[in-house]
Amino acid sequence: SKMAAIATPADVCSGFVPQPCFSYTNCTMSGFISNWTEFCCQPLSVRNTRTVMLSVIGIVGLIGTVCNIITISTFLYLFFFPQRIRKKFGQEFAMIKDPVFFLILHLSFCDLLYCIIGLPSYWSVYYYGYYPYSEAMCKYSAFFRNTLGNKQALILHRQVNIYIPLIAPLALS
């Protein structure tokens, strides 16, 4: 009797060329078909960097979350308890009246949301080899990540192009 040949993931995906912005069956949990491998959801170059990317995304997410929580907590303490700070240190922190204070607070808040909501979706794609939730959830997650990223870029753009040219000359004089 002949033994049945076992197909390897390379055999299953041979000739498969991923198309950008195309939703493949079994690459999310929507429309799952048995006897099909999710190995074809990612190009080989992405699969080969799995361990590195899981480590980098995990470390960036963890450090980003902790640092942004510390930043937000510190800024909120400075903003809401100026009398306590004045009593303890004998001075007031004038930086809470500077618009840059609110810029950094806002950027830190957006970054915290990105670390908590955006990065885990990337991490799960590298971990599982596909997006393990529904296609609709994939779209909402991508929309949220991109919205946060664009909001941060817009805020920095306004800071550089509006605030700095107006205030920097006054600070130098």
Side-chain angles (χ1 to χ4, degrees):
S1 74
K2 282 182 148 181
M3 295 219 21
I6 299 174
T8 65
D11 296 335
V12 173
C13 299
S14 65
F16 177 76
V17 179
Q19 302 296 315
C21 301
F22 185 79
S23 177
Y24 296 102
T25 302
N26 283 20
C27 291
T28 65
M29 289 307 288
S30 301
F32 190 78
I33 298 173
S34 59
N35 298 327
W36 191 89
T37 180
E38 66 275 351
F39 231 74
C40 296
C41 294
Q42 292 180 334
L44 184 61
S45 61
V46 173
R47 287 194 307 264
N48 289 340
T49 61
R50 179 179 187 261
T51 305
V52 172
M53 290 305 293
L54 287 172
S55 301
V56 169
I57 293 169
I59 290 169
V60 167
L62 184 65
I63 291 172
T65 300
V66 170
C67 289
N68 283 307
I69 287 173
I70 291 170
T71 301
I72 292 168
S73 300
T74 302
F75 278 32
L76 291 177
Y77 183 79
L78 289 173
F79 185 76
F80 286 111
F81 299 107
Q83 297 87 6
R84 183 180 289 175
I85 293 170
R86 196 176 313 111
K87 182 179 176 185
K88 184 170 185 167
F89 296 106
Q91 66 180 13
E92 185 176 313
F93 288 96
M95 71 179 199
I96 62 172
K97 295 175 184 164
D98 191 348
V100 174
F101 177 84
F102 292 103
L103 168 82
I104 294 171
L105 182 64
H106 189 263
L107 286 173
S108 189
F109 181 71
C110 288
D111 196 40
L112 177 63
L113 288 176
Y114 193 86
C115 289
I116 292 173
I117 297 169
L119 288 180
S121 64
Y122 282 121
W123 192 88
S124 63
V125 168
Y126 278 98
Y127 183 78
Y128 293 107
Y130 61 96
Y131 192 72
Y133 311 108
S134 70
E135 185 176 349
M137 183 66 181
C138 180
K139 290 176 183 177
Y140 293 132
S141 174
F143 175 78
F144 189 77
R145 275 193 325 266
N146 293 339
T147 301
L148 281 172
N150 290 336
K151 187 159 181 80
Q152 289 177 332
L154 178 65
I155 291 167
L156 286 174
H157 176 266
R158 286 182 179 169
Q159 175 69 22
V160 169
N161 290 318
I162 296 171
Y163 178 73
I164 292 177
L166 292 174
I167 301 302
L170 297 175
L172 295 175
S173 57

